[in-house]
Structure formats: C-alpha cells, structure tokens
Amino acid sequence: NSRVGALAFAPNGRVFASADKDGSILIWDAAARRVFRQLHYPKANSTVRSLCFSADGEYLLVHTEEQEVYLWRVPSTPRR
C-alpha cells in the first residue's frame, strides 16, 4: 500500500509516470490504465521529489530528495 509522491504526463497525453513513496517509478498507459514499464533507480530508499517528461516525451527526468537527478529514455507510446 504505497502512496504517490510525484506524477507527470508525457506531452502526448498517452503516457504518464508516477513515483511511489516506496521508490517505485511506474510508466502507465493512460487509456488502458495499466503499467507497461517499471524503472529502478540506484538508491531504492530515496524519495522522488519530482518527475518531468522532455518536450518530445522520450525522456523522463527524476529528481530525488538527495538533490540527485536521473534521466531515462522511455517509450512515449505504450506497446499494445
């Protein structure tokens, strides 16, 4: 039972990312309301402060409470 600490929508509106307080970063298919990818960042017990997609929706920026930043390439369209 985890709580969402950060949320961001990709510019195309088809995908969004959520970061739980337990450290999970999930990439969602907005239309299907299902997770299609899970990201793991190096510090599992670090809290995500914010998420942001790039303008083209291909990258997700993750900012943690330790002031660290991670960048992932993520699909902007879910696999069907």
Side-chain angles (χ1 to χ4, degrees), residues 18 25-29 32-38:
S18 66
I25 300 169
L26 306 175
I27 309 299
W28 296 79
D29 176 335
R33 299 181 192 166
R34 68 173 180 83
V35 173
F36 70 93
R37 186 167 177 198
Q38 183 171 6

Side-chain angles (χ1 to χ4, degrees), residues 16-61:
F16 68 93
S18 66
D20 294 344
K21 292 287 185 178
D22 69 1
S24 298
I25 300 169
L26 306 175
I27 309 299
W28 296 79
D29 176 335
R33 299 181 192 166
R34 68 173 180 83
V35 173
F36 70 93
R37 186 167 177 198
Q38 183 171 6
L39 304 175
H40 301 281
Y41 60 100
K43 293 186 178 179
N45 55 354
S46 178
T47 300
V48 173
R49 291 284 187 197
S50 58
L51 300 168
C52 182
F53 278 93
S54 60
D56 63 4
E58 292 296 318
Y59 294 90
L60 179 68
L61 183 89

